[in-house]
């Protein structure tokens, strides 16, 4: 009897390990997979939604709330969250060194993708995105919870930030001049061409219109299907190859504040395996910087309005 | 005696309620359910109308007759709401000391401007005969004078926006957002709130006016007024359901948005209103979509009140006399200005704030009562009373 029970327990354990292993084969998990693995103690689910009250009024059961504006960025200087800040947030969320982290969020998973990028910068392994994000989970009518969580503190330790995953202004300017990288502008064609400086309603903007000279334009939304899931790796490969991004040269992605470009960073780096840096300063830094190479196809002149 | 005086009006209002409910989009831009907001608005309008939950009437009953029944109704609403909010907060923000505020809750900045706005709002109530929420439910009773007051409120909002930047630089910028739970914990804040409400209720119920009785009402039970305490308990419930599913109760966000969007469109307002969009309260965003959760809530309120009023025989279409128009208009302007600079009114700041443990709610309550009292004295003096 005892041996039977042990066998069952072992089998269950293997089943759990097996399913986590299945998930760790790729950088994305499906909503079906997540549904089946909600009770799995190896996974830690983090919601990064940018709109207030979204997490609280119903989140995927077991998810911890990560607030982008304070948890994933430095609230004082413009920077990613510091190592200590992020480590303590992850430990509070019960993340252990061997946990599999699954991120998801509202607004097309942009901010969740930023989370995946920042975790990558600090060397956290086994970080995945829920494909389709919160919108798909809701559209499929899956359950949401409002119950409070009581997770035991985790033991994860972050490494030092890896500069290889993050482009700073000087590197971007160097890359333009030396043509060492392909630079991908993932904003809308109107922002890229300089017809507009920023989409309507955004207060953080720049005093120059246009794009980083030499950058190619592949709007982030071209990487996803209608339901918000990423396109297949083959389709993504073809999409970016058409714009001259084929992995033969290292890549730099940017947008307006660096969150949408995290989404494209994820596609290029995690799904296609290219060498990619995200430039989180993006247009709100570059378009305000003095003396950097800018291409302004539309010729819009900033007049302070 | 028939239950309804106007079966056609009642049927039209019910048909409109159902038609709108079925045709609303599922969600707004933030993912909140518009049909739920609309239905809660209808319920709110119905309860306000049936229980005469009108802050000015309640204040006047107290000033003139020392009749505390309406005030006890408000206390019941606050107590039920505070308990419900605490239950929600416990789930949403288990640790209130972490330096975060619960999402969306109307925990506003405590400033001199808040007190001034609430005081002016109180005078506006006395002058126009209602607060904004009561003007909305009065519309459902056919009191078209409320249209004049609400138009005045729109103009008042525009004046509020025009004075905002000055007030912000002089005063509001240094205001602190004070949330009782961050000081006392969830249970401590709830206990303190209930203790103050309980002590006030005890004192009020010992006042001579507490024994007042309404004359016997021969109408069927459904047509009679609901006791204020019953109305209060239901208002508390609706407030909690609304916070849980859609957002805190409030009735001025949409009015303010309409005022701000129209005034901006004609270039009347400065392009930047400092700090305004960062504060919690009845945020008055520039309108980007036709249907907002607060807009459908207010429409639901008016229709819900119409149904209640017509079924109970309270539907009495009446146009204001020409001589009343200036008073209604000026009262409305004061309501609008006060609600703008205080970031909400008796519903959004007073009810939703106190329930959430916001000091701003209590400040609004006291300053608004003071303004209402001054207004009441002034009206008595003007009418030689």
């Amino acid at each position: 009897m005892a041996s039977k029970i042990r066998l069952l327990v072992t089998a269950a354990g293997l089943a759990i390990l097996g399913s986590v292993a299945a998930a760790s084969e790729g950088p994305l998990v499906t909503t079906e997979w997540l549904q089946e693995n909600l009770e799995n103690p190896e996974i830690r689910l983090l919601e990064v939604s940018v709109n207030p009250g979204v997490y609280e009024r119903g989140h995927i059961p077991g998810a911890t709330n990560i607030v982008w504006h304070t948890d994933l960025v430095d609230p004082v200087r413009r920077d990613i969250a510091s190592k200590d800040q992020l480590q303590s947030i992850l430990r509070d969320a019960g993340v252990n060194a061997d946990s599999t982290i699954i991120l998801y969020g509202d607004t097309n998973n942009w901010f969740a993708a930023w989370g995946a990028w920042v975790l990558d910068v600090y060397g956290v392994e086994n970080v995945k995105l829920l494909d389709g994000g919160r919108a798909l989970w809701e559209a499929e009518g899956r359950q949401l919870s409002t119950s409070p969580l009581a997770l035991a503190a985790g033991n994860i330790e972050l490494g030092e930030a890896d500069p290889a995953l993050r482009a700073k202004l000087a590197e971007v300017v160097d890359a333009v001049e030396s043509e060492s990288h392909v630079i991908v502008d993932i904003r809308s064609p109107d922002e890229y061409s300089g017809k507009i400086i920023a989409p309507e309603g955004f207060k953080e903007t720049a005093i120059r219109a246009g794009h980083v000279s030499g950058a190619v334009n592949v709007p982030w939304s071209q990487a996803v299907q209608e339901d918000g899931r990423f396109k297949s790796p083959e389709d993504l490969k073809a999409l970016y190859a058409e714009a001259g991004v084929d992995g033969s040269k290292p890549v730099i992605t940017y947008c307006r504040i660096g969150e949408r470009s995290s989404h494209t960073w994820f596609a290029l780096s995690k799904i296609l395996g290219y060498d990619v840096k995200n430039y989180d300063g993006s247009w709100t830094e570059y378009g305000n910087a003095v003396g950097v190479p800018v291409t302004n196809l539309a010729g819009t002149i900033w007049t302070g309005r | 005696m028939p239950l309804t005086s106007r079966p056609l009006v009642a049927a039209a209002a019910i048909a409109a309620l159902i038609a709108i409910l079925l045709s609303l989009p599922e969600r707004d831009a933030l993912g909140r359910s518009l049909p739920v907001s609309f239905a809660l608005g209808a319920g709110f309008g119905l309860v306000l109308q049936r229980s005469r939950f009108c802050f000015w009437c309640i204040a006047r009953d107290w000033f003139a007759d020392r009749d505390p029944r309406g005030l006890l109704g408000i206390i019941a609403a606050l107590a039920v709401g505070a308990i419900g909010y605490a239950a929600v907060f416990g789930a949403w923000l288990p640790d209130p000391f972490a330096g975060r505020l619960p999402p969306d809750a109307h925990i506003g900045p405590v400033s001199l401007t808040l007190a001034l706005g609430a005081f002016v709002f109180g005078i506006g109530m006395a002058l126009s005969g209602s607060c904004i929420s009561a003007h909305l439910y009065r519309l459902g009773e056919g009191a078209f004078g409320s249209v004049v007051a609400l138009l005045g409120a729109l103009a008042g909002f525009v004046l509020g926006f025009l004075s905002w930047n000055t007030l912000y630089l002089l005063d509001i910028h240094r205001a602190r957002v004070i949330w009782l739970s961050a000081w006392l914990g969830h249970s401590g804040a709830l206990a303190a709130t209930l203790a103050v409400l309980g002590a006030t209720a005890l004192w009020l119920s010992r006042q001579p006016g507490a024994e007042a009785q309404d004359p016997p009402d021969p109408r069927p039970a459904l047509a009679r007024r609901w006791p204020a305490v019953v109305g209060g308990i239901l208002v508390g419930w609706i407030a909690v359901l609304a916070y849980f599913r859609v957002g805190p109760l409030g009735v001025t966000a949409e009015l303010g948005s309409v005022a701000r969007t129209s005034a901006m469109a004609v270039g009347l307002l400065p392009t930047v209103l400092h700090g305004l969009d960062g504060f919690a309260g009845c945020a008055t965003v520039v309108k980007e979509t036709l249907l907002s959760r607060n807009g459908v809530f207010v429409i639901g309120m008016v229709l819900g009140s119409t149904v209640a009023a017509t079924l109970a025989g309270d539907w009495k279409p009446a146009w204001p006399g020409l001589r009343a128009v200036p008073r209604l208009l000026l009262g409305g302007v004061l309501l609008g200005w006060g609600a703008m600079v205080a970031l909400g009114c008796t519903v959004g700041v007073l009810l939703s704030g106190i329930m959430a443990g916001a000091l701003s709610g209590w400040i609004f309550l006291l300053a608004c009562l003071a303004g209402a009292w001054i207004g009441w004295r002034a009206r008595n003096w003007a009418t030689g009373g």
Side-chain angles (χ1 to χ4, degrees), chain B residues 148 319-328:
Chain B
V148 179
W319 294 95
L322 211 55
R323 284 181 55 196
V325 167
R327 173 179 60 80
L328 286 169

Side-chain angles (χ1 to χ4, degrees), chain B residues 94-318:
Chain B
D95 178 8
F97 305 111
R100 265 183 203 163
L101 292 175
D104 314 324
H106 287 181
I107 303 166
V110 176
S111 64
L112 286 176
T113 306
L114 167 68
L116 180 67
F119 182 78
V120 169
F121 188 91
I123 299 177
M125 285 190 344
L127 215 53
S128 74
S130 278
C131 58
I132 291 180
S133 59
H135 276 303
L136 289 168
Y137 93 66
R138 291 264 164 77
L139 276 184
E141 296 179 344
F144 297 116
S146 289
V147 177
V148 179
L150 289 169
L151 285 175
L154 279 177
F157 264 100
V158 173
L159 294 177
F161 290 125
L162 286 174
S163 47
W164 174 265
N165 280 351
T166 311
L167 290 170
Y168 182 83
L169 293 175
L170 279 177
D171 174 45
I172 303 168
H173 75 97
R174 62 180 177 192
R176 286 178 55 202
V177 171
I178 296 175
W179 184 39
L180 297 183
S181 294
W183 291 62
L184 308 169
H186 289 311
S187 350
L190 178 60
T193 303
L194 291 180
V196 172
L197 293 174
T200 315
L202 206 62
W203 178 74
L204 284 174
S205 56
R206 290 171 174 215
Q207 298 304 304
E211 303 301 321
Q213 297 272 335
D214 287 327
D217 189 337
R219 292 182 296 172
L222 270 178
R224 283 180 219 148
R225 285 280 180 208
W226 298 352
V229 167
V230 172
I233 292 170
L234 293 172
V235 165
W237 258 100
I238 292 172
V240 174
L241 293 178
Y243 181 51
F244 184 62
R245 288 300 306 281
V246 190
L249 281 190
V251 297
T252 62
E254 182 68 9
L255 279 178
S257 290
V258 169
R260 182 169 172 183
T261 311
S262 349
M264 277 189 109
V266 295
L268 208 57
L269 293 191
T271 49
V272 176
L273 293 164
H274 299 304
L276 179 60
D277 296 330
F279 285 124
C282 292
T284 48
V285 292
V286 177
K287 278 184 85 65
E288 284 165 3
T289 49
L290 187 62
L291 291 171
S292 72
R293 62 177 200 252
N294 192 248
V296 300
F297 182 87
V298 167
I299 295 169
M301 243 183 105
V302 176
L303 287 172
S305 157
T306 310
V307 172
T310 44
L311 288 181
D314 287 346
W315 166 264
K316 294 177 181 109

